[in-house]
Amino acid sequence: MDQVMPVLRYHPVVQMMHWVTFWLMLFVYGVSYLEEFFPKGSDERHFIWFAHISVGLLLLAIVIARVIMKNTHKAWHIQHSAEEKKVTLVHTLLYQLMIVTMLIGIYLAFVRGNDVSFFGLFSIPSPIEPNPELKGIVKEAHELFANILILFILLHAAAAVFHHLVLKDGVLHRMLPDRK
């Protein structure tokens, strides 16, 4: 008879932060495509970017908190075996891509001459002069990094599904709540 191995799960706080990150990332990426439905300068288009930037700042704070937690609360994370060190490398790359993409986005707002507002609670004024020549390059870099990030997120999800359906090793369950 096959012995059932217990499923190692990430700490519930880690799981929650993972899924909040996922949903916020989906929102930030998706809402940016709505701008095309509204004319430049309209209140609706302004609200889209207000939401994109505010949620992006929230996402940046959560990702930084996740990195700090990962490095300070080892007991909250599954310790991977030597052959699974690539998992740590992939996660590190995902964190780095998220942070760099968001920092480029903040820089884009500054290059445009905009303050960066967090849900209207506070604003970070642009520390630099607007630079219309640089704006297009920074916007393309932000979009490129965002698209690369989404590709890596899709590959990350595909790997989890592959582990679940093909390898049947319980990897997907690590990030899901225990259903006792």
Side-chain angles (χ1 to χ4, degrees):
M1 180 181 287
D2 290 334
Q3 183 179 7
V4 177
M5 297 296 290
V7 176
L8 294 174
R9 294 183 189 281
Y10 287 99
H11 189 279
V13 172
V14 175
Q15 291 175 358
M16 186 258 323
M17 291 179 83
H18 174 272
W19 291 110
V20 167
T21 300
F22 167 76
W23 288 110
L24 291 178
M25 187 69 69
L26 189 65
F27 174 84
V28 167
Y29 190 80
V31 75
S32 66
Y33 286 97
L34 296 177
E35 79 166 327
E36 298 301 321
F37 294 105
F38 304 103
K40 286 187 176 186
S42 69
D43 288 343
E44 295 86 359
R45 195 165 175 148
H46 175 75
F47 179 76
I48 287 167
W49 289 115
F50 172 81
H52 178 83
I53 291 168
S54 292
V55 174
L57 289 173
L58 176 61
L59 185 57
L60 179 60
I62 290 171
V63 170
I64 289 170
R66 287 182 70 187
V67 170
I68 291 169
M69 282 176 43
K70 190 170 185 69
N71 291 313
T72 59
H73 293 81
K74 297 293 184 189
W76 285 20
H77 296 274
I78 296 171
Q79 301 300 313
H80 299 287
S81 62
E83 59 271 0
E84 289 183 311
K85 291 297 182 187
K86 61 186 171 189
V87 170
T88 301
L89 179 63
V90 169
H91 289 166
T92 300
L93 184 57
L94 277 168
Y95 289 132
Q96 289 173 342
L97 275 169
M98 285 187 277
I99 291 170
V100 167
T101 302
M102 291 180 270
L103 291 177
I104 293 171
I106 292 169
Y107 184 63
L108 175 59
F110 291 159
V111 166
R112 288 178 170 165
N114 299 329
D115 293 351
V116 175
S117 175
F118 183 71
F119 297 105
L121 298 174
F122 65 87
S123 291
I124 304 167
S126 177
I128 62 174
E129 291 294 319
N131 187 333
E133 294 83 29
L134 190 56
K135 179 175 70 173
I137 295 167
V138 177
K139 182 177 187 241
E140 286 182 25
H142 183 57
E143 290 172 355
L144 175 65
F145 272 82
N147 288 331
I148 291 169
L149 177 58
I150 292 300
L151 177 64
F152 271 84
I153 290 169
L154 290 172
L155 290 172
H156 175 70
V161 170
F162 175 79
H163 276 268
H164 182 71
L165 296 176
V166 177
L167 300 179
K168 299 179 187 211
D169 58 6
V171 165
L172 182 63
H173 292 286
R174 292 178 179 178
M175 203 47 83
L176 299 174
D178 192 6
R179 295 185 179 215
K180 290 183 181 180

